[in-house]
Amino acid sequence: MYDYNMLTPGPSKVRKNVLEARAIQAGNSDLDPEFYDFYKRTCAKYSHFLNTANPSFLLSGEGILGLEAACASLTEPGDRVLVLDNGIFGRGFADFVRIYGGEPVLFSTDPHAPIAPEALRAFLKKDADFRYATLVHCDTPSGVLNDIHALCPILKEYGILTVVDSVSGMFGNPVDARHAKIDILLGGSQKALSCPTGLTMVTVSQDAFRRMEARKTPIASFYANLLALRDYYEKQWFPYTMPACDIHGFARALDNVLEEPGIFARHARVAAGVREALVAGGLSLYLKDGFSNTVTVFRVPQGLTDTDILSALLRDHKILLAGAFDVLAHKVIRIGHMGEAANDEDMLAALTALSDVLPKLGFALKGDMVQTYRYSAMR
């Protein structure tokens, strides 16, 4: 059992009733007809939350499994794939495309802002010959939120299938898969859903399944083959044993979300308060605009190190925040306000801790972050 307050951008806190749901005595998920019914009902409820009739599936594996499964299932050798890149995970899709023999073509834009729909449209007017396109909803290292509801329909206008990673976006930011015309939508259990790590959620359109069926070459994976899951209920057969306890926990966490009609408003209020407080304190946000409601990212002040800040927060206040990696390594610090952590008590604790640690390390605060949050988010 950890003894710190986990305010990271995933994994996130888990409510007690989710842990209790995972502790059931599970039966045989391969052979029990009742489990197939339960799995189907749970997936249908999740699809309904996303406002889509497209079927959803729960995969046994952390959220990255979904990213690879989408690329494995759609990519054939030589396929040109458009990779929308304004962040580390957005650019990272290119690696999965290459693994399965595709040719990634990067559409790279300013990493400090969301991708502009008009810029994408201008690019596609010149070149739209792509098997599919990948896009990240919330790119967690920077916290940038791309407007999938504007970008994906543009891609579909050009006949390009869309693959959207919303692992860190959904449940804290609205996702309407039908309006956005998303072909493969990917989520992860450990982010704003506030469920333990271990499940990938995948929602697949009929256009995407038809493209998989029309492949000239077999899907070059067993575990990451989405087509193998399509008819599980009719066949009463899963390609691998499903983690029944994890899925019961997921079902309870999903019900927690459905029982809170104001969940998006809560995330938006808390996120706005955190950003305003950090700016009042004299800290610099990484982004210009396009802020996700699940994570806030600020620059490490000049003369300080992320290691010193994060270590002091954990040592002196039992607060766990996150640094970053890749091109943002040692440059930023991330506060996760997703799911169960998107609340006033936890954010006040984080801001109080930062208000104590930063001056001790030599950074002079310009304003009262705690009072700013109280006025902004709690008024």
Side-chain angles (χ1 to χ4, degrees):
M1 180 68 179
Y2 60 85
D3 64 346
Y4 47 79
N5 194 353
M6 185 166 60
L7 305 179
T8 57
S12 60
K13 293 182 173 185
V14 179
R15 197 182 299 186
K16 184 179 179 181
N17 65 357
V18 175
L19 296 175
E20 291 173 343
R22 295 176 77 247
I24 66 162
Q25 182 66 42
N28 189 314
S29 57
D30 288 321
L31 302 176
D32 185 353
E34 291 186 7
F35 179 80
Y36 283 88
D37 290 337
F38 166 71
Y39 181 97
K40 184 179 181 182
R41 287 195 309 272
T42 302
C43 290
K45 188 183 295 186
Y46 172 68
S47 288
H48 181 73
F49 174 77
L50 299 171
N51 190 35
T52 180
N54 292 336
S56 294
F57 308 91
L58 301 174
L59 281 60
S60 180
E62 192 271 339
I64 291 292
L65 171 61
L67 279 62
E68 180 167 354
C71 295
S73 300
L74 290 177
T75 311
E76 294 197 76
D79 282 346
R80 297 178 79 236
V81 178
L82 180 61
V83 176
L84 277 64
D85 159 35
N86 67 328
I88 293 170
F89 280 112
R91 184 170 59 256
F93 260 115
D95 295 332
F96 294 120
V97 172
R98 292 190 189 97
I99 287 172
Y100 293 98
E103 176 192 343
V105 177
L106 270 65
F107 174 66
S108 300
T109 66
D110 184 356
H112 302 93
I115 296 169
E118 61 272 17
L120 176 61
R121 188 181 294 279
F123 175 85
L124 293 173
K125 286 180 179 179
K126 299 176 182 178
D127 185 4
D129 182 22
F130 300 105
R131 182 138 178 122
Y132 64 94
T134 64
L135 170 63
V136 174
H137 188 199
C138 167
D139 209 302
T140 329
S142 70
V144 68
L145 188 76
N146 288 309
D147 188 352
I148 56 176
H149 301 94
L151 296 168
C152 291
I154 294 173
L155 292 161
K156 290 291 282 186
E157 285 177 22
Y158 286 86
I160 301 170
L161 294 180
T162 57
V163 173
V164 173
D165 165 10
S166 187
V167 171
S168 295
M170 62 173 58
F171 298 109
N173 304 280
V175 176
D176 187 326
R178 185 193 307 273
H179 174 69
K181 300 181 180 180
I182 300 170
D183 288 296
I184 299 183
L185 176 59
L186 308 166
S189 59
Q190 78 274 23
K191 301 287 187 173
L193 180 62
S194 285
C195 198
T197 306
L199 292 177
T200 289
M201 300 91 82
V202 182
T203 306
V204 187
S205 74
Q206 295 308 311
D207 284 348
F209 274 135
R210 281 191 287 268
R211 184 66 59 86
M212 295 174 206
E213 288 180 320
R215 292 174 59 107
K216 297 177 182 177
T217 59
I219 294 174
S221 175
F222 178 85
Y223 204 74
N225 181 347
L226 295 178
L227 196 56
L229 285 161
R230 184 182 59 175
D231 300 322
Y232 76 91
Y233 188 76
E234 291 75 11
K235 296 178 179 178
Q236 294 285 285
W237 179 85
F238 290 114
Y240 50 80
T241 300
M242 288 292 163
C245 293
D246 289 346
I247 294 171
H248 277 277
F250 172 89
R252 180 61 258 182
L254 181 59
D255 283 342
N256 289 344
V257 168
L258 295 172
E259 290 165 6
E260 184 187 355
I263 188 169
F264 297 128
R266 170 169 62 90
H267 279 82
R269 178 184 63 79
V270 169
V274 170
R275 294 194 297 268
E276 190 169 334
L278 293 174
V279 171
L283 294 164
S284 176
L285 301 179
Y286 178 75
L287 296 174
K288 301 173 186 173
D289 57 15
F291 302 95
S292 174
N293 290 331
T294 55
V295 55
T296 293
V297 183
F298 66 91
R299 297 179 186 274
V300 175
Q302 189 172 3
L304 277 62
T305 70
D306 62 331
T307 300
D308 286 344
I309 296 170
L310 295 170
S311 297
L313 289 170
L314 184 58
R315 181 187 65 243
D316 299 339
H317 295 274
K318 298 296 184 183
I319 297 284
L320 184 67
L321 302 186
F325 49 93
D326 200 271
V327 296
L328 291 180
H330 308 301
K331 296 179 180 178
V332 300
I333 288 175
R334 300 181 291 160
I335 302 175
H337 34 74
M338 53 175 58
E340 294 295 306
N343 65 76
D344 296 328
E345 180 181 359
D346 281 330
M347 292 306 104
L348 286 171
L351 293 167
T352 299
L354 283 168
S355 298
D356 174 65
V357 165
L358 291 173
K360 289 179 179 178
L361 293 175
F363 180 77
L365 293 170
K366 292 183 178 179
D368 191 323
M369 294 193 291
V370 172
Q371 288 305 316
T372 299
Y373 181 89
R374 289 186 188 278
Y375 178 77
S376 171
M378 300 174 68
R379 67 178 185 269

